[in-house]
Amino acid sequence: MPRLFTGLELPPLIADHLALLRGGLEGARWIDRENFHVTLRFIGDIDHGTAREVVSALDRVRRGPMTLEIDGLGAFGGNKPSAVYARIVPNQELVALQAEQERIVQRLGLKPERRTFVPHVTLARCRGLQPGAVAHWLALRGSIMRLTFEVDRFVLYFSRDSVGGGPYVVEEDYPLVA
């Protein structure tokens, strides 16, 4: 069964800048630069027939290109940190694209996403790390400059079996055209 999700790729220069943040958090599992992305909708493990339906349904998405902005760093998990990430400023176009994909997968019979959409780029997995260590890492790097980039397509990723963080393979791409 394929494990699928939709997302937005990062331009190489943005990925290079974020890769410079790696390190300084002992025990973190850092995501490889080539696997940085913005997840729109995690679809999960599905059968091949449903995967074909997802590919076809996503092909009907008609949205224009958009500008995204990274405005800082954050962590998921509170007192039990699970990941550190670069925060993406939500904008109307991004939220609408994600919501449309959510409706599409639900119409295909998949369960609704239970988590609120928080646009971000995961930099590292932090399970088992002390919250103070994560807070310290964020405090030292929290003032990253704002990074802006253009997005002109979204992709359907296939996630190979691993312990989180890739490798991810682009199965299909869908242009965002005005």
Side-chain angles (χ1 to χ4, degrees), residues 42-104:
F42 181 72
I43 297 166
D45 297 319
I46 57 174
D47 62 73
H48 292 284
T50 304
R52 285 189 294 276
E53 289 179 25
V54 167
V55 168
S56 177
L58 290 173
D59 198 37
R60 294 188 289 274
V61 172
R62 299 290 179 259
R63 300 273 172 186
M66 64 185 83
T67 302
L68 296 182
E69 180 182 9
I70 296 172
D71 75 342
L73 301 174
F76 289 123
N79 287 332
K80 292 185 179 181
S82 59
V84 292
Y85 62 86
R87 185 175 46 247
I88 303 287
V89 177
N91 63 40
Q92 183 176 359
E93 295 88 359
L94 177 61
V95 171
L97 177 62
Q98 189 279 332
E100 182 175 5
Q101 292 182 13
E102 179 64 34
R103 288 189 299 274
I104 286 170

Side-chain angles (χ1 to χ4, degrees), residues 11-23:
L13 289 175
I14 299 296
D16 288 345
H17 185 82
L18 293 178
L20 294 173
L21 298 170
R22 295 170 50 117

